Structure formats: C-alpha cells, structure tokens
Amino acid sequence: GTPCPDVLLEVRRRHPPTARIVLADSSSATELVRLVALAHRVLPKPFDPAELRGTVQRAFALRELLHSPALASVVGRLS
C-alpha cells in the first residue's frame, strides 16, 4: 500500500481542513517525526479506545468551534 506519510500529504493537499489522526506502530524515530509533522495527532499502537474516542470528539468540537458564527464575529472585531 501507500506509505502513511504519503497519504497524509495527499489528504493535506486535497482536504486541508480534515483532521489527520494517525495510529502509529512505527519504531522508526525518523518516520514518527515525519508523522507528527503531518498529522494533528499521533496515537501509539496499541491504543486506548477511550483516548481515540476523545481525540475524535475534540477534533469534531474544534471543527464546530472554527465554523461558529459567534467565533467569526469575535475574531472579526480583533485589531
């Protein structure tokens, strides 16, 4: 298959606002550094399901906040 960093680069290019969460089992420090640079969150394998659930929930909450008209109004008033 396609290496994970290549997939992340393509997702970032095609869909920049998409939250990129990676479940990594890599023991290569070089690959982990590259994944951290491309993903919003890297969770180690094996992972805690509650941690993954919380990560996804925070990503959705952040997306909602960033699309909030109230936030846009506050940011628009900043000088």
Side-chain angles (χ1 to χ4, degrees):
T2 305
C4 186
D6 294 345
V7 171
L8 291 171
L9 279 169
E10 191 64 18
V11 169
R12 184 174 70 179
R13 185 182 72 75
R14 289 186 187 191
H15 308 285
T18 299
R20 296 177 302 276
I21 302 168
V22 175
L23 302 175
D25 61 359
S26 175
S27 59
S28 163
T30 303
E31 184 170 336
L32 283 174
V33 168
R34 190 162 183 220
L35 291 175
V36 167
L38 295 170
H40 294 103
R41 183 71 197 255
V42 178
L43 300 175
K45 284 185 182 178
F47 64 92
D48 175 14
E51 184 178 8
L52 176 59
R53 187 177 318 109
T55 298
V56 171
Q57 288 172 339
R58 284 187 297 278
F60 275 105
L62 181 59
R63 185 178 75 175
E64 287 180 16
L65 178 64
L66 292 175
H67 287 85
S68 163
L71 177 63
S73 174
V74 169
V75 170
R77 290 191 307 259
L78 296 176
S79 55

